Amino acid sequence: AFSISGEEDHTSGSGKSLKIENKALKQSRVKLLNTFGNKPLTEDMKGKTYKISFYAKAKTDGDVITGLLAAAHMDAMDQKYEMLYYKQGAMNDKAITTKSLKANEWTLVEFDYTLDDKNVGAFQIGLLSIQVSNIDVLYVDDITVEEVKKKQ
């Protein structure tokens, strides 16, 4: 189950966060649309690097797994693009980053991601996926996606 909850808030302590619950399977994944903006990924975005970050808090120790996926497979692509994580020419079941969480502590999860041909082409690989393993309840807050400017 997914909800916006007032139970936990990283920033002020009195706001809201995304609550992910899955007590039965102890694993769950949410895919967030429009990670890089409210429009399709385009050729002019290729080569741009973004820092993606968020804070996560669980009621128990466990892992939060994150990466980027395609929204769905199309006839022209293999179904694995919507199931497996993709980064810089490689697809696999390994997330871009896995972070161990300690119970009841906010933890920063962050990684850099550079868009390439497959991200901006027909595959449109740009869904931020946040997945839990061995966690009953996860709170996610302060998700940011910022372009990393090249040093002059």
Side-chain angles (χ1 to χ4, degrees):
F2 304 102
S3 62
I4 301 299
S5 170
E7 296 170 14
E8 297 285 347
D9 171 63
H10 172 259
T11 310
S12 66
S14 62
K16 297 184 183 207
S17 60
L18 174 64
K19 182 179 181 182
I20 303 168
E21 291 183 275
N22 196 338
K23 295 179 180 171
L25 297 175
K26 302 245 188 246
Q27 68 177 28
S28 190
R29 173 167 57 192
V30 61
K31 298 175 187 177
L32 302 172
L33 193 60
N34 298 331
T35 301
F36 301 100
N38 195 16
K39 62 180 182 169
L41 301 176
T42 57
E43 196 68 27
D44 62 319
M45 297 171 79
K46 185 170 64 175
K48 289 185 178 183
T49 299
Y50 295 84
K51 179 169 286 306
I52 300 171
S53 65
F54 60 90
Y55 284 87
K57 181 178 183 178
K59 293 189 175 197
T60 57
D61 290 357
D63 293 326
V64 63
I65 302 157
T66 191
L68 286 148
L69 303 165
H73 71 280
M74 301 169 285
D75 290 342
M77 64 189 271
D78 192 307
Q79 184 175 5
K80 61 191 171 188
Y81 279 94
E82 71 173 321
M83 302 302 295
L84 300 178
Y85 293 101
Y86 176 83
K87 185 176 183 186
Q88 297 168 340
M91 254 182 13
N92 57 49
D93 58 357
K94 294 186 174 109
I96 293 170
T97 192
T98 299
K99 194 81 161 188
S100 294
L101 304 179
K102 295 204 179 287
N104 300 309
E105 290 182 16
W106 283 108
T107 301
L108 176 64
V109 179
E110 64 182 349
F111 61 95
D112 287 348
Y113 192 92
T114 302
L115 297 174
D116 67 13
D117 290 333
K118 284 200 170 60
N119 292 107
V120 304
F123 294 172
Q124 290 290 302
I125 300 169
L127 285 178
L128 176 61
S129 170
I130 300 172
Q131 179 178 340
V132 294
S133 178
N134 298 316
I135 292 175
D136 288 346
V137 179
L138 177 74
Y139 298 94
V140 175
D141 206 358
D142 299 334
I143 300 170
T144 60
V145 179
E146 298 176 321
E147 186 178 351
V148 176
K149 299 292 183 186
K150 294 180 181 172
K151 294 179 182 172
Q152 301 286 344

